[in-house]
Structures are given as C-alpha cells and as structure tokens.
Amino acid sequence: MSTKNIEEKQYLLRFKADTKSHLTVMDDDICMTKCPDKICTIFCPAEVYKWEGLRMQVGYEGCHECGSCRIGCPYQNIKWEYPKGGHGIVFRLA
C-alpha cells in the first residue's frame, strides 16, 4: 500500500463549476488596509485566493469546499456558501 502526498490526492479531485462564484470577498479595501499578510492566500489548500494589484482574485472553480476561508479570515470578509445543487467538488477514491 503506497501513501499519496497532497499533490497526488488533489489530482483525484474533480470540479463541476457553476458560472457564479459561491465565494465572495465582501470588501477588497479591508484586505488592502487591514490584512497585510493576506492569510487567506496561505491557509486555503486549493490556493483559491490570490492578491493581484489592489484586489483579491478568487478562483472559485477549484475550491475544495473545506470552509477554511469562512472561519479563517480574521475580518470575516469572505462570504462562503455551498455551491448551487449539482455543482462543486467531486471526490474520487483511488
């Protein structure tokens, strides 16, 4: 039995993305002025959040739906909802 590293496990994930994001950064100004470390770019295992220029880019299509951003943002500046029915992450076991 072989053990898989995180990259190998993430390869097993499949996504059925909706056209509308289920993740919303409510105020980019809060990220810019109050959060110098942009910790959501660190704690998100899917690397969904990227700081670019003056705003946070959200690549919701690859979200693992773990909810870490919902509880990890110290300013509660990320609105997380479940994706619309039939959309989101699909786990494959291998």
Side-chain angles (χ1 to χ4, degrees):
M1 176 181 235
S2 68
T3 59
K4 292 183 179 357
N5 64 31
I6 189 71
E7 288 81 15
E8 292 170 325
K9 288 179 181 180
Q10 287 181 337
Y11 179 74
L12 297 174
L13 302 175
R14 297 294 176 253
F15 304 93
K16 183 176 179 188
D18 194 359
T19 56
K20 182 178 181 283
S21 178
H22 64 286
L23 305 169
T24 306
V25 174
M26 296 185 289
D27 186 349
D28 288 314
D29 197 48
I30 288 175
C31 299
M32 186 167 45
T33 61
K34 294 185 177 181
C35 192
D37 297 326
K38 316 291 186 273
I39 62 171
C40 61
T41 64
I42 299 167
F43 63 63
C44 175
E47 299 178 354
V48 165
Y49 299 94
K50 303 270 188 240
W51 183 254
E52 295 182 0
L54 299 175
R55 63 186 298 259
M56 189 65 69
Q57 297 292 328
V58 182
Y60 72 94
E61 301 89 347
C63 176
H64 292 183
E65 298 175 34
C66 67
S68 61
C69 59
R70 176 176 45 188
I71 59 172
C73 177
Y75 302 100
Q76 299 177 339
N77 194 33
I78 299 172
K79 181 179 178 186
W80 186 98
E81 301 173 296
Y82 285 103
K84 188 169 60 175
H87 293 88
I89 194 166
V90 177
F91 295 98
R92 292 184 356 178
L93 301 174

